[in-house]
């Protein structure tokens, strides 16, 4: 009967401790056995098992292609007990020349395309074998260089890692997501990495800056430019993390922009979709057509046709780089499993130093393995030589003794191995010529033994051997850099206003605060149709690509884009529907123009200053304070200044007083109350009996027209000299009949 388990035989553990331990074990399994590459060979377990399974199937570079399904079957059946689809996808990645800088698998059939890397055919249709480059990982595998462990079911053994002859961790890079960490190692150029390794062997203390004299940056499989600055690249290799910016390559051909290289892992189809979407959204008015001219000879050739030869190609491409995948930022994260079996983030100098330590250890193991083979063979040859020197007696012992092995060992002080090798001799090997061959083989092996022992016992000789092997491999497998490194300006996307044509418009503001825009500058805004109870207040000529700032009665400014204003075919829209002014305010005027355009802003209390359009613009719906208005006063319509040093300003009170002085007497401010322009008694301002109601900026050639009821008065410079004075004076009375001024207008010479 089975023995019952008692209460004392049950181990109790808290759920917290059990969960924590289980999750930690799972995390370490994912990190070490699934997601992160090993620094020595640069491979994750599934990749290593695929390459090893193919080598076991004798699918070397010289072999015939075999069905990929056969390889995948061996991988999942013997070494990697996971899904066949995941294993095949990992195999496909190693075969795609646009994914791997130095592919490990040579594929035949449909292995995907840059436009759609996952468009590869099923494994039953494709064929594959290893590439020549894979020899760098496998050549020393059977030479005592790596540890072997049982596979998942214990029926065979597999290598823990490969004895890579070059740092594949940098050459092909890798990506992976583990628990709490990830890796994004970009590919690099073999010749540059080999040169850096040799520099580090010669100068073990070489810094990252020293190594960057050899390694210029990542080298992706595509020919797109790397445009990260040298400082950005240096920081990446010093810290082990950062990002690399890559940009498509283009040239102008017969007026068309032809894109010939895309950033790593960017699809040409995706680029065409992005460009077409912008064209449909009318965000590329300067482009009239797109053509995909890619073919077998030109894998990437996308033509962008500008509207005319006046289109600035650099600005256009700058917008496309900023708004599409024609410029891509690649994450860099040098996270990997170190020689000590621990995951870590490694700067470039630490990474290469650790790999060289791995390589040195591998070469020493290979040399020691070979030395043991040589010593074992010399031991056997020593026994064979004894046999040949005593051939007659050896033959007699073999023929007459019941236990010839024991007699031979006793008579000639042989080992078991030597005795077995003598007894295994064939009759044809007893010829005199064999003795000469043995002697020659002994001499050759002794010379090799001496050479190997010298290398093992000398760090300098060992370094020299490693350098020679690295140089030889680099010469055999290296090629020129594909990703050029260039210094480019930061790309800028078009702003919404950049895409709008600068058409002439007239912005109209009514007394009730309704806005609209009419096409053209020759518009009589007072003749437009207004809502019942509303009437014309002011209007300004502008361009559809500009901003317009509306000034309210308390001196705040609100900005809208001219192209967003409703059409003057209707009665417009209320400003309050687009902005958020304080309760109870009204609107006094509007300004428009370029950022440098200057205006004179003032209030009817007699204060004002000069400011620019750029200082009045605000993106805030609640506006921004521009003019500080004394209590009870109102803001005048701002007056445009065309030429600040030479222009004059005419200020007119509603009581018919006129004062003229130079605009240059006013300060230039971004905001504030300004200075006194006209001296009006405070009591009259307070009870609103007298105000500075009109402000006109004019030049010597212009004419001021003053209206009072049905009368009007034209004043030229000669007429205005009588009213000239210093700023902040009271001003002089206008002629009889103009004691109550309704409005003042400016007639510009030539208009």
């Amino acid at each position: 009967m089975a023995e019952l388990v008692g209460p004392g035989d049950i181990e109790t553990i808290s759920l917290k401790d059990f969960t924590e331990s289980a999750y930690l074990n799972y995390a370490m399994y994912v990190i070490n056995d699934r997601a992160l590459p090993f620094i020595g060979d640069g491979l994750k377990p599934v990749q290593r098992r695929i390459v090893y399974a193919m080598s076991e199937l004798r699918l070397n570079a010289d072999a015939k292609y075999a069905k990929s399904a056969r390889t995948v079957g061996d991988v999942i059946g013997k070494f990697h007990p996971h899904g066949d689809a995941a294993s095949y996808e990992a195999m496909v990645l190693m075969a795609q020349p646009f994914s791997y800088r130095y592919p490990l698998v040579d594929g035949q059939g449909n292995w995907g395309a840059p436009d759609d890397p996952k468009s590869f055919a099923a494994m039953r249709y494709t064929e594959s074998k290893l590439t020549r480059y894979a020899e760098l990982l496998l050549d020393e595998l059977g030479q005592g260089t790596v540890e072997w462990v049982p596979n998942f079911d214990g029926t065979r053994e597999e290598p823990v890692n490969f004895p890579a002859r070059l740092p594949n961790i940098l050459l092909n890079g890798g990506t992976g997501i583990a628990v709490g960490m990830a890796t994004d190692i970009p590919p690099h150029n073999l010749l540059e990495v080999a040169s850096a390794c040799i520099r580090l062997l010669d100068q073990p203390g070489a810094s990252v800056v020293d190594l960057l004299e050899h390694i210029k940056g990542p080298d992706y499989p595509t020919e797109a430019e790397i445009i990260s600055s040298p400082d950005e690249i240096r920081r990446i290799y010093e810290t082990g993390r950062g990002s690399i910016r890559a940009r498509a390559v283009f040239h102008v051909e017969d007026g068309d922009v032809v894109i010939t290289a895309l950033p790593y892992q960017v699809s040409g189809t995706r680029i065409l979709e992005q460009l077409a979407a912008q064209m449909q959204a009318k965000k590329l008015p300067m482009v009239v057509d797109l053509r995909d001219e890619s073919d077998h000879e030109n894998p990437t050739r996308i033509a962008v046709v500008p509207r005319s030869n006046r289109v600035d190609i650099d600005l256009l491409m700058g917008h496309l780089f900023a708004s599409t995948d024609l410029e891509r930022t690649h994450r860099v994260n040098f996270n990997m499993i170190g020689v000590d079996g621990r995951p870590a983030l490694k700067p470039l100098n630490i990474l290469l130093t650790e790999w060289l330590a791995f390589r040195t250890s591998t070469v020493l193991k290979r040399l020691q393995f070979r030395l043991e083979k040589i010593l074992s063979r010399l031991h056997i040859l020593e026994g064979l030589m004894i046999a040949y020197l005593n051939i007659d007696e050896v033959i007699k012992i073999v023929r007459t003794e019941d236990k010839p092995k024991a007699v031979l060992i006793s008579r000639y002080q042989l080992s078991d191995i030597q005795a077995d090798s003598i007894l295994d001799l064939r009759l044809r090997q007893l010829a005199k010529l064999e003795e000469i061959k043995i002697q020659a083989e002994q001499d050759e092996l002794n010379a090799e033994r001496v050479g190997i022992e010298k290398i093992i016992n000398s760090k300098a000789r060992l370094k020299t051997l490693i350098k020679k092997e690295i140089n030889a491999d680099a010469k055999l497998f290296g090629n020129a850099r594909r990703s050029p490194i260039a210094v480019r300006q930061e790309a800028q996307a078009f702003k919404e206003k950049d895409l709008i044509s600068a058409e002439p418009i007239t912005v109209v503001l009514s007394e009730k605060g309704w806005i609209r825009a009419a096409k053209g500058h020759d518009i009589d805004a007072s003749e437009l149709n207004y809502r019942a109870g509303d009437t014309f207040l002011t209007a300004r000529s502008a361009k559809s690509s500009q901003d317009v700032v509306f000034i309210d009665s308390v001196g705040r400014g609100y900005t809208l884009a001219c192209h967003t204003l409703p059409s003057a075919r209707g009665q417009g829209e209320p400003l309050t529907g687009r902005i958020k002014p304080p309760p109870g305010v009204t609107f006094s005027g509007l300004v428009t123009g370029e950022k440098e355009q200057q205006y004179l802003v003032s209030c009817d209390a007699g204060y004002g200053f000069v400011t620019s359009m750029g200082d009045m613009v605000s993106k805030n719906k609640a506006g921004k304070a521009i003019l500080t208005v004394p209590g009870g006063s109102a803001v005048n319509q701002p007056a445009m200044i065309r030429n600040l040093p030479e222009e004059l300003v005419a200020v007119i009170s509603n009581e018919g007083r006129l004062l003229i002085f130079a605009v240059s007497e006013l300060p230039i401010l971004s905001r504030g109350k300004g200075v006194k322009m006209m001296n009006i008694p405070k009591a009259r301002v307070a009870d609103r009996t007298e105000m500075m109601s009109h402000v006109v900026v004019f030049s010597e050639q212009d004419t001021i027209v003053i209206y009072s009821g049905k009368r009007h008065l034209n004043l030229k410079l000669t007429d205005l000299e009588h009213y000239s004075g210093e700023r902040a004076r009271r001003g002089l009375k206008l002629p009889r009949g103009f004691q109550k001024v309704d409005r003042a207008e400016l007639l510009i010479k030539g208009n």
Side-chain angles (χ1 to χ4, degrees):
M1 292 180 63
E3 185 177 350
L4 296 176
V5 178
D9 298 321
I10 299 176
E11 181 183 358
T12 303
I13 184 171
S14 70
L15 181 61
K16 173 182 177 296
D17 292 341
F18 174 79
T19 305
E20 183 178 335
S21 175
Y23 188 76
L24 183 62
N25 290 336
Y26 165 73
M28 293 308 298
Y29 165 72
V30 172
I31 291 169
N32 287 291
D33 293 338
R34 295 283 292 276
L36 298 189
F38 174 60
I39 190 172
D41 56 17
L43 299 178
K44 295 187 280 189
V46 64
Q47 297 168 328
R48 189 178 300 116
R49 287 163 176 165
I50 290 169
V51 172
Y52 179 65
M54 294 181 76
S55 70
E56 287 291 283
L57 290 170
R58 301 290 188 268
L59 295 177
N60 302 318
D62 295 329
K64 292 182 178 180
Y65 291 96
K67 286 289 185 184
S68 301
R70 182 183 180 190
T71 297
V72 173
D74 265 31
V75 170
I76 64 176
K78 296 178 180 178
F79 307 110
H80 197 71
H82 299 279
D84 58 341
S87 297
Y88 181 51
E89 191 166 330
M91 181 179 176
V92 168
L93 197 67
M94 293 190 290
Q96 292 176 334
F98 49 85
S99 295
Y100 259 45
R101 181 64 176 85
Y102 302 96
L104 296 172
V105 176
D106 180 3
Q108 184 169 262
N110 177 14
W111 289 81
D115 275 350
D116 187 4
K118 294 185 180 289
S119 62
F120 51 84
M123 69 180 96
R124 62 183 178 273
Y125 298 120
T126 61
E127 296 180 333
S128 56
K129 61 180 180 179
L130 293 172
T131 61
R132 290 280 181 197
Y133 176 81
E135 296 173 1
L136 292 175
L137 305 176
L138 296 166
D139 270 359
E140 300 172 1
L141 191 59
Q143 300 179 31
T145 52
V146 298
E147 294 182 23
W148 295 77
V149 294
N151 67 340
F152 67 91
D153 62 0
T155 57
R156 62 190 69 241
E157 290 190 329
E158 62 176 319
V160 173
N161 53 66
F162 288 152
R165 295 164 63 97
L166 286 173
N168 185 62
I169 187 76
L170 278 180
L171 301 183
N172 275 321
T175 60
I177 299 176
V179 178
M181 61 180 63
T183 183
D184 290 282
I185 305 173
H188 291 76
N189 184 270
L190 193 155
L191 294 175
E192 294 178 2
V193 172
S195 179
C197 288
I198 292 171
R199 171 74 175 270
L200 204 53
L201 284 170
D202 291 333
Q203 301 176 15
S207 66
V208 170
V209 174
D210 296 330
L211 297 178
L212 291 183
E213 295 177 11
H214 307 272
I215 299 176
K216 305 303 180 184
D219 187 23
Y220 293 100
T222 69
E223 297 175 357
E225 293 178 337
I226 292 174
I227 61 169
S228 296
S229 69
D231 286 342
E232 289 176 320
I233 294 175
R234 175 182 53 78
R235 282 194 295 271
I236 288 171
Y237 289 113
E238 285 178 341
T239 62
R241 67 174 66 217
S243 59
I244 289 287
R245 290 181 296 131
R247 180 178 288 184
V249 174
F250 72 94
H251 66 271
V252 179
E253 187 177 302
D254 297 329
D256 298 344
V257 177
V258 179
I259 300 166
T260 55
L262 297 175
Y264 181 54
Q265 293 181 333
V266 171
S267 160
T269 302
R270 173 65 177 157
I271 293 295
L272 289 168
E273 290 174 354
Q274 291 176 334
L275 295 178
Q278 289 199 28
M279 292 177 68
Q280 289 178 355
K282 297 183 179 179
K283 293 183 178 180
L284 280 179
M286 66 291 295
V287 174
V288 294
D289 193 17
L290 297 173
R291 294 195 303 270
D292 185 2
E293 300 176 349
S294 306
D295 54 27
H296 182 70
E297 294 183 0
N298 301 287
T300 300
R301 185 178 170 86
I302 298 173
V304 180
V305 184
R307 183 173 295 278
S308 71
N309 57 8
R310 293 189 300 274
V311 173
D312 190 321
I313 299 299
D314 291 334
L315 288 179
L316 169 62
M317 293 308 296
H319 167 75
L320 296 182
F321 289 141
S323 61
T324 71
D325 287 343
L326 286 174
E327 182 175 317
R328 171 72 70 85
T329 298
H330 302 286
R331 287 180 303 177
V332 177
N333 189 357
F334 286 98
N335 219 346
M336 61 196 73
I337 305 297
V339 175
D340 58 0
R342 297 174 179 270
L345 193 72
K346 299 183 186 294
L348 179 63
N349 55 340
I350 302 300
L351 189 159
L352 287 181
T353 298
E354 192 167 329
W355 182 84
L356 285 171
F358 166 81
R359 180 62 188 158
T360 301
S361 172
T362 301
V363 172
L364 277 173
K365 290 177 183 177
R366 186 191 77 202
L367 293 174
Q368 194 65 48
F369 180 82
R370 178 59 182 161
L371 181 60
E372 291 173 1
K373 289 287 186 182
I374 290 173
L375 292 175
S376 176
R377 181 61 179 166
L378 285 173
H379 181 64
I380 292 173
L381 291 175
E382 184 182 349
L384 292 177
M385 185 57 74
I386 291 172
Y388 280 110
L389 292 177
N390 302 277
I391 189 65
D392 293 333
E393 189 171 354
V394 168
I395 292 173
K396 182 179 178 181
I397 291 172
V398 172
R399 291 181 63 188
T400 60
E401 295 293 337
D402 292 336
K403 296 181 178 180
K405 180 178 177 179
V407 176
L408 288 173
I409 292 173
S410 175
R411 180 76 58 85
Y412 299 109
Q413 287 77 47
L414 301 175
S415 65
D416 280 359
I417 295 174
Q418 287 175 322
D420 286 336
S421 63
I422 291 171
L423 293 173
D424 288 340
L425 284 172
R426 297 178 182 178
L427 288 175
R428 63 185 297 176
Q429 292 177 294
L430 299 177
K432 179 67 177 175
L433 188 61
E434 288 300 321
E435 183 181 343
I436 299 173
K437 288 183 179 180
I438 291 173
Q439 186 64 52
E441 187 178 352
Q442 280 182 319
D443 293 342
E444 183 180 345
L445 291 177
N446 272 316
E448 187 178 353
R449 175 186 59 79
V450 171
I452 290 176
E453 287 176 343
K454 285 181 178 179
I455 294 173
I456 291 175
N457 297 323
S458 169
K459 291 183 178 180
R461 290 177 185 269
L462 182 60
K463 279 187 180 181
T464 301
L465 174 63
I466 294 173
K467 286 196 289 186
K468 284 182 179 179
E469 291 179 349
I470 289 176
N471 273 326
D473 291 334
K475 185 176 180 180
L476 185 61
F477 296 103
N479 49 32
R481 167 175 280 277
R482 289 185 187 170
S483 300
I485 296 178
V487 178
R488 304 293 185 198
Q489 291 183 343
E490 185 175 354
Q492 295 288 339
F494 290 139
K495 297 178 182 177
E496 188 177 4
K497 289 190 293 185
D498 297 333
L499 303 174
I500 300 165
S501 57
E503 298 178 356
I505 61 170
T506 300
V507 181
V508 181
L509 175 65
S510 75
E511 287 189 349
K512 298 293 186 182
W514 283 58
I515 53 167
R516 47 185 154 170
K519 290 185 178 180
H521 286 166
D522 53 346
I523 302 295
D524 187 353
S526 62
E527 297 297 324
L528 295 175
N529 184 28
Y530 292 88
R531 298 170 66 249
D534 199 2
T535 186
F536 167 74
L537 175 64
T538 186
R540 285 279 185 191
S541 296
K543 294 181 180 179
S544 56
S545 57
Q546 295 175 334
D547 288 328
V548 56
V549 176
F550 297 93
I551 311 293
D552 69 13
S553 55
V554 296
R556 296 186 69 83
Y558 309 86
T559 306
L560 294 176
C562 286
H563 72 275
T564 65
L565 300 180
S567 171
R569 294 176 181 174
Q571 293 178 337
E573 295 178 6
L575 260 176
T576 51
R578 300 197 179 196
I579 59 175
K580 297 179 179 178
V585 303
T586 58
F587 292 94
S588 303
L590 62 89
V591 296
T592 185
E594 302 299 330
K595 291 192 299 183
E596 301 79 14
Q597 177 62 57
Q598 291 181 313
Y599 281 90
L600 193 164
V601 293
S602 61
C603 65
D604 60 13
Y607 293 90
F609 60 89
V610 175
T611 189
S612 66
M613 178 73 184
D615 286 330
M616 291 188 277
V617 170
S618 170
K619 294 182 179 179
N620 192 343
K621 282 191 173 184
K624 67 181 292 188
I626 298 173
L627 179 66
T628 302
V629 180
S633 299
V635 177
N636 294 318
Q637 163 66 31
M640 180 185 291
I641 300 173
R642 290 168 289 164
N643 189 357
L644 178 60
E646 300 178 3
E647 290 194 299
L648 303 170
V649 57
V651 291
I652 308 169
S653 73
N654 62 328
E655 294 294 325
R657 290 185 176 273
L658 170 62
L659 174 65
I660 295 175
F661 57 88
V663 178
S664 57
E665 292 187 39
L666 297 175
I668 299 176
L669 304 174
S670 60
R671 57 184 294 181
K673 181 179 179 181
V675 297
K676 184 174 287 189
M677 298 172 61
M678 192 175 201
N679 189 13
I680 303 175
K682 290 184 178 180
R684 294 182 66 81
V685 172
D687 61 15
R688 307 296 289 165
T689 56
E690 186 174 355
M691 299 162 283
M692 186 181 73
S693 55
H694 304 91
V695 178
V696 180
V697 176
F698 65 100
S699 68
E700 295 179 354
Q701 294 80 24
D702 299 332
T703 301
I704 298 177
V705 184
I706 298 175
Y707 294 88
S708 178
K710 295 183 178 180
R711 299 187 183 128
H712 71 276
L713 176 64
N714 289 2
L715 297 175
K716 295 186 178 180
L717 184 64
T718 54
D719 306 316
L720 297 171
E721 290 178 354
H722 173 65
Y723 301 97
S724 296
E726 296 179 356
R727 176 185 62 81
R729 293 300 182 95
R730 187 86 167 89
L732 299 176
K733 282 279 189 175
L734 287 165
R736 183 175 298 178
F738 292 92
Q739 302 305 306
K740 297 290 183 183
V741 177
D742 295 327
R743 72 179 193 276
E745 294 181 355
L746 179 65
L747 290 180
I748 300 174
K749 186 178 180 180
N751 287 0

